[in-house]
Amino acid sequence: MTSVSQSEMLVNPLREGLEVVRSADPCVVVIFGASGDLTKRKLIPALFSLVEQHLIPSAFAVLGVARRPMSHEEFRATQREFIDAERLETEVWKSFESSLFYIPFDFSDASGYQKLTEELQKIDQERGTLNNRLYYLSTPPTAYSEIIKQLGAAHLVAAPGEKYWTRIIIEKPFGHDLESAHALNAGVNAVFNENQVYRIDHYLGKETVQNILVFRFANGIFEPLWNRRYVDHVQITVAETLGVEHRGSYYDGAGAARDMVQNHILQVLSLVAMEPPISLEADTIRDEKSKVLRAIRRIPPQDAFKYSVRAQYGRGFITGETAAAYREEEDVNPQSKTETYAAFKFYIDNWRWAGVPFYVRSGKRLAKRVSEVAIQFKTVPHLLFEQTAADQLEPNVLVLKIQPDEGITLRFGAKLPGQSIHIRWVNMDFRYGASFGVKTPEAYERLIHDCLIGDATLFSRRDTVEQAWNLLMPFLIAWQQSKERELPQYEAGSQGPSEAEALLSAEGRKWRRI
Amino acid sequence: MPPDNSLEKVMTGGSFRVDIASIEDQLRELWKDAATGATAEDESVKPVTRTTVLNLVVFVDSEAAAQEVSALLGDLVEQDPCRAIVITADPKQQGDKMEAWISAHCHRPLPTSKAVCCEQISLRASGNAIRELAASTVPFLLSDLPVFLWWRGPGVFESEIVGKLHGVCDRLIIDSKQFAEPALEFPKLQSFIQATQDRLAVSDMAWHRLRQWRELMAQFFDSPVLFAHLSHIENVVVEFNPRATPGGTVPPQAFLLAGWLASRLGWQLQDSRSTGEGTQFRLKRKHSRTNISILLRPAKAPAELAGHLVSFELSSEKGWSTTFRIARGESPHCAQTEISFGQSPPFRRTVPLPIHTEVELLARQLDIFGHDSIYEEAIAMAARLVDSMK
């Protein structure tokens, strides 16, 4: 079985010249864990929006599966919550709603999968969905292995050479460490071929993340500078003002490195550092990303603290309100040693990036919500202008802003008008919102559609997931084995822990202000 | 220098008259003030950002149309910030004169962000000065940004202004829905496309109106199971809400849709005739004797759909009788798609089919840069269809 559907091989002459190269194949989307929040908050609104954009064919259905007993009608009623009232009133919603179905069963009960088979056959007959299936695992990660095993046992996965397809979307976290990621992947690949597996990282569905590729490879002026000769260092920041909200019990078992760095940040880093792919095929891009992750220097656990900083937020003041300390949050262990801030210094040992540090950081309860990649260039080799207190020579910085205020900024020096030469550092600013007023699609919408048409470019492949874990494991082990009584603390609403400054200051660098 | 109150006036949607020779200086002064908020006394004139991603030249033939366009541009710049140059050839005005105004369109992408502003230059000419409109427009085009010429009036293919501007424009935007006499204008459009092939691409708002019909029809045949039916289609019916124009009741969009289908499927036109139902064209597939019929016929529809399409249906009687149909529903903003095979119950669903506003259609044209060969082939076939009716 390949993930290339038959419709990709046929050239529909009526499609020529249309913006959408092809719509999704007829299929049933089976959502495991359909009674949960993600289904009604993100998945159903994304699918409905795809229907509104004519990206989903008429032969289509959604089958929700969860333990909670519910009828089709009750399931449909629960899915209305996050659709605007005015869209709910339309005939389009009524038509879409009639394609939503639900069956309750326990994921570990083999007879449930028999029920699932019967229901799917019935839908195929009634709606012409041609035996194509997309399984979406929207369950706690602990259920993944069982569901996958049962799907295999019930022969609900298309074998190679079949005329129909099966794909599966798995939500992060893809394991808790390297060992569990290996085990999960082994279980997945025992039932599904790798090209049927779509590991979703919604961060990659963001327009600005995708724009990194366009920015680098559609512009002739940046790529020649994109290397060790001109770049001094790179900073990648994902800062949040939010605390753990209602995810205390999950987050306390994960922490910032697992929650953000292992997936989002390393994916972004690999897009920034990768070599030009030979085409836009999913695997050619993912091959290049994989090479970057393989080239990142592995740090032995005994050196982990030289290359990383972790910390936890204490009480503080943020967005006009007093914020509780992490250990005071709901469902968090009052003695927790889970990090809410993690910063790393990575080196990519290849010809392009040798000697260029990549500093990455992510934290909760920081001063501002910001996600960005900053490329800091080397300063000029010789100081031509007099340096006074007013004329500090600064480096050029190119900032790719992922959120909020998506855009690109280039910082350069300009002469201050006047008799003598004084330099003022200014920003040349491009903002998506100002130049393109079009509403960007939700990340889930983009990613689900990509999966429905069999495009895996924006999904994580097994090797990159495992490489990312492999890279982080020495740090996670060192942190766990540390005899420190207390983690470094930082005040909620601040720039982060002072210890993080040391990661850069020893080399004469400093973090950008959040 | 701009008048003292010019910044407030411009930022709040007004315009002020300027000497043509000093337009650029006046704009420069205006934006300098706006950038610093130097003359700001109230919220509406806080410092702003000026953004421009393209040049948009709009031709209109009356002052009233120029006013309408200015209002449309206010909405357009939220999606496509541009330097707009509205040129009015006003034959009703006395004398040979040309006058100029400048104005701005501002909006805030977010309530807390700086206002983003775009500028509009308006040139109005009468008498012999109309001949100078093209030459007067060119100096105001910003270098390195694409130039779109939106022709919002009649006589585009005969216009001297288009003849003079097409060397500096990248794209001409028209709306063939407004063609009063499709039998005359489709052939002219086809000749124009051929004659300007190397220099200019043509965009048609009517083509974008058909996009959703084309998408939905194409979608039926994306499925490998249904794809095979495409080569057995024998009957095509396009229903429309008739209009009252000297050139006939069939709206140009019906010809364009039929032209698209026939050109995509490589059908060759045999002849046409008027029947009691409507206008029927007979076509053939290459290397096949089977006749294909395309029938354009009027149908009842709500008044707001005047001149719009009502349904589009492809069918075949060979083997199983199959029908693929898209029809506007009770609500004019929705359509029902339907596939039926023989006696089996049809697969039906409802999808949105909004009627786009002029601004939405215009914004879509500004995203397209190259030649659209599919459109050009559809126009060539539409021209043959209307020609066969003579």
Side-chain angles (χ1 to χ4, degrees), chain A residues 31-70:
Chain A
I31 303 174
F32 287 91
S35 59
D37 239 24
L38 183 73
T39 305
K40 63 183 174 189
R41 266 181 200 277
K42 297 285 182 188
L43 306 185
I44 295 295
L47 287 166
F48 182 50
S49 176
L50 291 173
V51 166
E52 289 179 313
Q53 294 167 65
H54 304 166
L55 292 171
I56 283 184
S58 52
F60 174 81
V62 176
L63 177 56
V65 181
R67 203 172 301 165
R68 188 187 308 168
M70 246 191 294

Side-chain angles (χ1 to χ4, degrees), chain B residues 203-222:
Chain B
S203 268
D204 187 347
M205 292 190 183
W207 182 238
H208 189 68
R209 281 190 196 92
L210 293 180
R211 183 182 60 87
Q212 304 176 93
W213 294 88
R214 293 185 284 132
E215 259 173 15
L216 289 169
M217 191 51 82
Q219 194 171 64
F220 287 130
F221 304 101
D222 281 337

